[in-house]
Amino acid sequence: MAHSVLPEPAFPDLDSMLSRKFGKEVANYFSGSPLNRVSFLRSDHAFLSAALRHPATCFLLFDNLNPLAKDPSNLEYVSYKDVTPLIGDDPYSKTEEQMISEYNSTITIPQLLFLGLDERNKQGLTYNIYTGAPYFALDVTPKGTITAQAQWLIQTMQSGGLSFLKGRIQASLPPQDAAIYAQGRALLDWNARNPFCGQCGQPTLSINGGTKRTCPPKDMSSLEGAIGGNVGSAPTKRPDCATRKGISNLCFPRTDPTVIMAVVSSDGKRVLIGRQKRWPPFWYSTLAGFVEPAESVEEAVRREVWEESGVKLGRVVIHSTQPWPYPANLMIGAIAQCIPGGEGIVLKHDPELEDARWAELDEVREALRVGTSALGESAQEGYKEGNLRLPAGTAIANQLLAAVVAGFVGEFPKI
């Protein structure tokens, strides 16, 4: 598979004091969205209603988190007319307050997300001072009371020669489409994983353009908190819930910070790489792990590297970041250097790695040239069997290793 090029960083040609000191910004795959999220308009149903029905509006459909596409390299966006059989004429005709007061847990509401405006399209919707083509993501997975409508929509799309891309990771899309896909997938996944309140266990309602879930105080279902009960003639008051008082992080999408690091030896001549047992032969990558509560990024880098490899680190520098919608990670890329005498590898602390070793910069440089790919895919022409394999260019690990062999840890490093 030919992987896509990386997104262009913001203002790549801008000369500034920061760019002169640290170099150009690094953009990773799944970042670089062309959309202005205008997050402050998500609760404005007059805006969402107008955005929904505008002729320039684009909808990206997902079936079990698989996006609709022409082929593995081209997403397919559909129109308002295409989705009305599932979502109805206007799901934003009522205010959020009305939706909450009329909530009925026995009725399945199609999960619709407002993603943002593509301001490059000057023929798009104009609302106050904002102009652009609106983008939405829609979950068409058959479920609950919308099963028949969702199945019909899926079959209609497939009869037109389209398909929903299978596979856990989509890394062959053009960069801007990849970013739109990542935003939609991450938020749909979060909504699907949180149908119940984490505080009281009652069913929740998606609001704020699909970026918040609320625990309504009453339910039109006659069975308190039940999904599938009979509709009652009056709302049933639900138990008190702490999420209805003040600000609660239970109602908002989560992003899990993860550190991933290229570790350089104390003399700057070697890079630490590791592999898991399930990976193909000769395939290695940088080390990575989750940031724990009350832990800085730098501390997480040092801890994870020591736990997995026994190597002891000194200075840690953040290089770049990558959204990773599987399901909701933010990969915080760092480059770190060992303390003198700290290069000894010990794998007995944490059994996560099958192997860890030091690689000379020339070996890494050659692997970046001809030995990169996604897991299970073939390397480039010129690769010799038995040589080092590394992640594809769409992975932040590739960017980190490329920065190291390009002299990041030299006398005058540039980000």
Side-chain angles (χ1 to χ4, degrees), residues 11 116 303 384:
F11 307 107
R303 175 184 56 76
K384 295 181 180 179

Side-chain angles (χ1 to χ4, degrees), residues 124-179:
L125 170 70
T126 295
Y127 188 84
N128 294 336
I129 62 174
Y130 314 104
T131 297
Y135 276 68
F136 288 84
L138 175 63
D139 186 2
V140 299
T141 307
K143 63 183 71 172
T145 58
I146 59 170
T147 296
Q149 298 93 321
Q151 289 175 336
W152 179 87
L153 184 53
I154 290 172
Q155 292 167 0
T156 300
M157 295 297 126
Q158 292 173 336
S159 66
L162 303 172
S163 63
F164 291 88
L165 296 180
K166 305 294 184 181
R168 177 175 173 268
I169 297 176
Q170 304 299 334
S172 61
L173 299 171
Q176 293 185 339
D177 277 343

